[in-house]
Amino acid sequence: MTLIPSAARAAFLAQARQRILITDGAFGTEIQNYRLAEADYAGDLGLAHDQKGNNDILALTKPEIPEAIHRAYFAAGADIAETNTFSANRISQADYGAEHLVREINVASAQLARRVADEFTAKDGRPRFVAGAIGPTNKTLSLSPDVNDPGYREVSWDTLVEVYAEQAIALVEGGADFILVETVFDTLNAKAAIMAVRQVEQMLGREVPLMLSMTLTDLSGRNLSGHTVEAFWYAVRHARPLTVGLNCSFGATQLRPHVRVLSDIADTLIMIYPNAGLPNELGEYDEEPPTTAGLVGEWAHAGQVNVLGGCCGSTPAHIAAMARTVAGLAPRALPEVTVATRLAGLEPFIMAS
């Protein structure tokens, strides 16, 4: 089946050839600033469970809040809005008794981000993009939650593919340009998400570009399933993602060596959006915008990145500082990678010719 090519992919690549693009910053910590009560989250949906902390459901109960956050990030210079749907999947929403609202949440969130993105584009003609954000869920395919039963899994591959596909198709129907599979702590989960998006493409008859973003769980540069940055790339390269990168985990200082590794080997665009430093003893982020911008600016000056943004603790001020710092700098050039058989266990394996 021949898929209709993505016009958004072509437009994104055209912009990325000209400059370093900017994605937005944190949503969760921005929402916390509103100090919402449980009733604000719950609205009039009549759900039986306590909804406090269910940030995704605000697309239905308090849409003016995610809309205001999107506007603030675009005003700060962002080119990409990531939808407020990190946990808008059947598995995560089951904790809130809201799994029946998954499609509605995702469609509404994507429509909201799309509307704001198009408004900003209409003002100055600069393309703005919407990335439908898909988090890892709170289940893992690679690891057992029971130390006494290492073969046990809380979720099956087929179920997780269905969960991801349900979310992805709703995001695309709502107007998302891309699907961003982010905070990948389990590479097998990411591969399930890749399969889900490929199924959605077949259902729709058109290309749905993928963005993939790994998160590290220790300073040695591995995710929870044990893969190094290099092994992760070799495990997902077949998906031909629009971007690959790193997010969350640590601040920019700790990510520096891993950004360099990925930049050297990935023959696609690199998108990095770190936390605003490391949290303090109260769980708050103290790193000031000029500091974060200066740190990620080092990657830009070194020609290692194509897209920059922020994760936990970052604010519109952080994004504005990044945009100013990288303005006029040349984007990373894609490396020419020699043809070889590259395989991935927990460590990469390159077969000698």
Side-chain angles (χ1 to χ4, degrees):
M1 179 180 180
T2 302
L3 301 175
I4 298 172
S6 167
R9 174 192 277 272
F12 189 86
L13 290 173
Q15 292 294 307
R17 282 191 289 270
Q18 300 173 28
R19 58 196 173 87
I20 295 172
L21 301 180
I22 302 294
T23 191
D24 59 14
F27 242 83
T29 45
E30 287 299 291
I31 289 171
Q32 289 174 13
N33 293 334
Y34 285 85
R35 305 191 182 281
L36 301 176
E38 196 276 336
D40 296 311
Y41 288 95
D44 58 3
L45 295 176
L47 297 170
H49 291 56
D50 190 308
Q51 296 300 308
K52 189 164 186 179
N54 189 2
N55 291 340
D56 308 75
I57 211 164
L58 294 174
L60 305 180
T61 57
K62 284 281 186 181
E64 64 273 16
I65 290 176
E67 178 175 347
I69 295 171
H70 283 313
R71 289 186 183 282
Y73 280 128
F74 277 133
D79 299 286
I80 308 165
E82 300 171 22
T83 57
N84 180 36
T85 52
F86 184 82
S87 298
N89 62 76
R90 197 190 317 158
I91 293 172
S92 300
Q93 286 300 311
D95 292 343
Y96 298 99
E99 57 266 48
H100 61 292
L101 295 174
V102 162
R103 183 181 184 281
E104 192 175 348
I105 292 170
N106 283 282
V107 170
S109 293
Q111 288 176 334
L112 192 158
R114 177 83 273 156
R115 183 174 68 253
V116 179
D118 290 347
E119 286 179 14
F120 274 80
T121 295
K123 291 177 183 177
D124 60 13
R126 195 176 95 216
R128 304 311 200 282
F129 303 93
V130 175
I134 291 183
T137 81
N138 52 20
K139 308 294 183 187
T140 171
L141 287 172
S142 293
L143 304 170
S144 171
D146 184 354
V147 294
N148 297 312
D149 186 0
Y152 172 69
R153 298 293 183 271
E154 286 187 292
V155 65
S156 70
W157 167 273
D158 289 344
T159 297
L160 196 54
V161 171
E162 290 175 5
V163 166
Y164 283 134
E166 178 183 33
Q167 185 177 8
I169 195 166
L171 288 167
V172 173
E173 288 179 1
D177 296 306
F178 321 119
I179 295 298
L180 168 61
V181 181
E182 64 175 346
T183 319
V184 175
F185 65 77
D186 182 345
T187 304
L188 195 55
N189 281 34
K191 292 170 83 71
I194 291 167
M195 175 172 277
V197 173
R198 293 294 176 252
Q199 290 180 353
V200 169
E201 287 182 322
Q202 294 298 314
M203 292 168 60
L204 299 177
R206 60 188 177 94
E207 179 191 13
V208 178
L210 266 167
M211 296 170 147
L212 302 174
S213 188
M214 177 188 186
T215 191
L216 306 180
T217 55
D218 62 55
L219 292 175
S220 71
R222 296 180 186 270
N223 64 3
L224 190 63
S225 58
H227 296 89
T228 65
V229 170
E230 191 172 0
F232 172 75
W233 170 239
Y234 295 150
V236 301
R237 182 178 178 270
H238 68 280
R240 303 191 65 81
L242 177 63
T243 68
V244 69
L246 302 168
N247 77 287
C248 204
S249 317
F250 310 109
T253 299
Q254 291 77 19
L255 285 185
R256 182 183 291 116
H258 310 299
V259 172
R260 183 171 61 249
V261 167
L262 193 57
S263 177
D264 287 343
I265 63 173
D267 53 350
T268 192
L269 304 180
I270 298 293
M271 181 165 82
I272 310 292
Y273 49 117
N275 292 345
L278 296 174
N280 60 27
E281 61 275 9
L282 300 177
E284 298 174 343
Y285 293 85
D286 300 322
E287 190 170 277
E288 294 295 322
T291 302
T292 306
L295 292 170
V296 302
E298 293 177 11
W299 305 332
H301 280 284
Q304 295 174 342
V305 290
N306 302 98
V307 187
L308 285 171
C311 204
C312 301
S314 60
T315 67
H318 287 83
I319 300 306
M322 290 183 195
R324 289 192 298 268
T325 297
V326 304
L329 295 180
R332 164 183 170 270
L334 269 61
E336 291 188 13
V337 180
T338 57
V339 176
T341 299
R342 295 178 172 89
L343 307 175
L346 297 184
E347 305 278 349
F349 175 79
I350 302 175
M351 189 175 296
S353 58

